[in-house]
Amino acid sequence: MIDGSHRLNLAFLPTPMHELQNLSRRLGGPRLFIKRDDLTGMAFGGNKERKLEFILADALSAGAEVVITSGSIQTNHGRLTAAAARRVGMHPVLVLAGERPAELQGNLLLNDMAGADIHFVPRGRGDTEDARMDNENEITDRKVAELVAHYESQGRRVFVVPKAGATLSGVYSYVLAAQEAAYQATQARLSFHSVVVAAGGGGTLAGLHIGMNLYAPGTDVIGVSVGRGAARLEERVRDYAKGLLPDLGYGEFPIKAPIVEDGYVGEGYPIPSPASVEAARILAETEGIYVDLVYTGKAVAGLIGMIRQRRWKPEDNVLFWHTGGLPALFMQGAYLKH
Ligand SMILES: *Cc1c(COP(=O)(O)O)cnc(C)c1O
């Protein structure tokens, strides 16, 4: 059951929304706007902060002392979970897939500074990116279960946050974010043809999709996949809608089919692609706004790719949703060609 009042106050909301005139001119595209969830405020910001306001409220009511979560080695979700746990007086523990590097950088450096206990496990293997990610989830989940048993045997109460904050309450936080953006659009006398957002686990996409269906039904939400295939993500969005709508009092509400573009994944998650490098450079050169190369960079690549394919008319308004992730950029210099 989702309870909207059961929520911590971690993020500075509403996040800004503004126009990207230079980018629009450079691409000869529709009118472009950006929603700045990179500026949620805590620990360099990002989309997981809205989700954690709900998830860690549950951890607090459960009386947890230790918070455990998992992800890839440069997980933004892990960084924000560690910082949020410290804010509410809990001890953060992270299970990360990858090898301990000689030098701590990016999100890993920030996690170390927050005093998180960090456990490294091997990366997943598989023939497809979906299979590899499923295998990696099994490996990290096994380690998380082991750590839960360890802390509980010491009499410490543990709360496990699913990877990427993938819970119904996390999705709900993005239903509210859609409502926030719909209100900002109304105030600015704008209506958006489309919202474009990065999709990892799909929770953010699902929340925005459900929220726009409810509060701005003329607006499509397009998820640009950073790893998973479109079929899998679309199924996730449908499942989240099925789980959440009855709780919100919209049992039979007709939700449009979700839209996922999976042509911008490149070699896989979390590996930068030539298109994400180009996209990140274009955004920085035109607007002085930065994106990392594995999440938001791929989503900007999707935005630019769709503009080049004339997906929108010049008079359409399109909103790019920046989901944060910047600390990882400082790990990605090797991918930038000079
Ligand atoms: C986690 C993350 C996403 C994806 O969010 P999901 O809700 O899992 O789809 C997108 N961008 C950034 C920067 C992230 O850290």
Side-chain angles (χ1 to χ4, degrees), residues 45-48 51 74-77 79-80 163-166 171 174 197-206 226 233 236 269 292 294-296 321-326:
N47 63 334
K48 305 311 180 306
K51 299 186 187 190
Q74 281 292 329
T75 168
N76 297 302
H77 164 69
R79 178 226 331 150
L80 286 168
K163 230 174 243 88
V171 174
Y174 267 89
V197 66
T204 303
L205 168 65
V226 303
L233 278 167
R236 286 251 176 104
Y269 172 83
D292 78 283
V294 305
Y295 278 109
T296 31
W321 202 294
H322 195 324
T323 47
L326 273 176

Side-chain angles (χ1 to χ4, degrees), residues 4-332:
S5 65
H6 191 56
R7 173 183 188 177
L8 302 173
N9 183 1
L10 298 173
F12 296 112
L13 303 177
T15 55
M17 177 191 285
H18 62 90
E19 191 165 3
L20 302 174
Q21 281 184 338
N22 297 338
L23 180 64
S24 183
R25 206 172 303 127
R26 162 100 169 237
L27 298 169
R31 271 183 90 184
L32 298 174
F33 296 80
I34 191 166
K35 177 70 170 157
R36 300 294 300 272
D37 272 13
D38 55 323
L39 301 180
T40 47
M42 183 184 68
F44 302 97
N47 63 334
K48 305 311 180 306
E49 209 164 315
R50 291 185 191 261
K51 299 186 187 190
L52 286 163
E53 289 195 337
F54 288 89
I55 298 170
L56 285 196
D58 288 341
L60 264 187
S61 5
E65 302 152 72
V66 176
V67 173
I68 307 183
T69 198
S70 57
S72 69
I73 200 155
Q74 281 292 329
T75 168
N76 297 302
H77 164 69
R79 178 226 331 150
L80 286 168
T81 303
R86 288 308 196 190
R87 275 275 288 274
V88 296
M90 295 178 203
H91 183 77
V93 177
L94 302 175
V95 173
L96 306 181
E99 271 175 45
R100 177 190 289 276
E103 195 182 331
L104 297 179
Q105 286 180 2
N107 286 312
L108 212 45
L109 179 151
L110 300 173
N111 290 332
D112 186 68
M113 288 183 76
D117 287 343
I118 303 176
H119 300 266
F120 293 91
V121 295
R123 290 194 78 204
R125 289 159 190 260
D127 292 337
T128 64
E129 189 55 13
D130 272 320
R132 191 196 68 72
M133 290 173 79
D134 288 342
N135 177 242
E136 190 159 297
N137 288 349
E138 283 166 28
I139 296 171
T140 51
D141 290 353
R142 220 175 297 135
K143 184 69 184 178
V144 168
E146 200 181 287
L147 288 165
V148 169
H150 167 76
Y151 285 106
E152 284 180 351
S153 75
Q154 297 179 340
R156 300 175 81 185
R157 206 167 286 175
V158 184
F159 189 91
V160 175
V161 180
K163 230 174 243 88
T167 65
L168 275 187
S169 61
V171 174
Y172 178 61
S173 74
Y174 267 89
V175 174
L176 296 182
Q179 188 180 35
E180 178 184 301
Y183 180 74
Q184 287 173 314
T186 308
Q187 292 283 299
R189 300 182 183 284
L190 284 170
S191 66
F192 291 113
H193 184 288
S194 307
V195 174
V196 176
V197 66
T204 303
L205 168 65
L208 291 180
H209 181 69
I210 297 164
M212 287 299 173
N213 270 263
L214 296 174
Y215 305 116
T219 303
D220 285 334
V221 182
I222 303 170
V224 180
S225 176
V226 303
R228 297 264 184 206
R232 182 74 172 262
L233 278 167
E234 287 163 6
E235 183 190 319
R236 286 251 176 104
V237 173
R238 278 191 293 267
D239 285 349
Y240 280 130
K242 221 178 286 163
L244 199 56
L245 283 165
D247 256 11
L248 301 179
Y250 295 97
E252 296 298 312
F253 193 85
I255 288 282
K256 290 189 274 189
I259 309 173
V260 176
E261 292 292 332
D262 63 3
Y264 300 90
V265 172
E267 279 176 55
Y269 172 83
I271 305 167
S273 66
S276 75
V277 171
E278 184 208 13
R281 280 198 182 280
I282 290 176
L283 187 62
E285 285 170 11
T286 53
E287 301 286 352
I289 295 174
Y290 298 91
V291 290
D292 78 283
L293 307 179
V294 305
Y295 278 109
T296 31
K298 287 184 185 173
V300 177
L303 174 73
I304 292 176
M306 288 185 273
I307 290 172
R308 287 175 176 161
Q309 290 157 15
R310 303 265 171 257
R311 176 103 164 212
W312 298 286
K313 297 202 258 332
E315 64 273 22
D316 288 339
N317 298 316
V318 175
L319 178 67
F320 178 76
W321 202 294
H322 195 324
T323 47
L326 273 176
L329 179 63
F330 298 98
M331 297 289 300
Q332 297 165 350

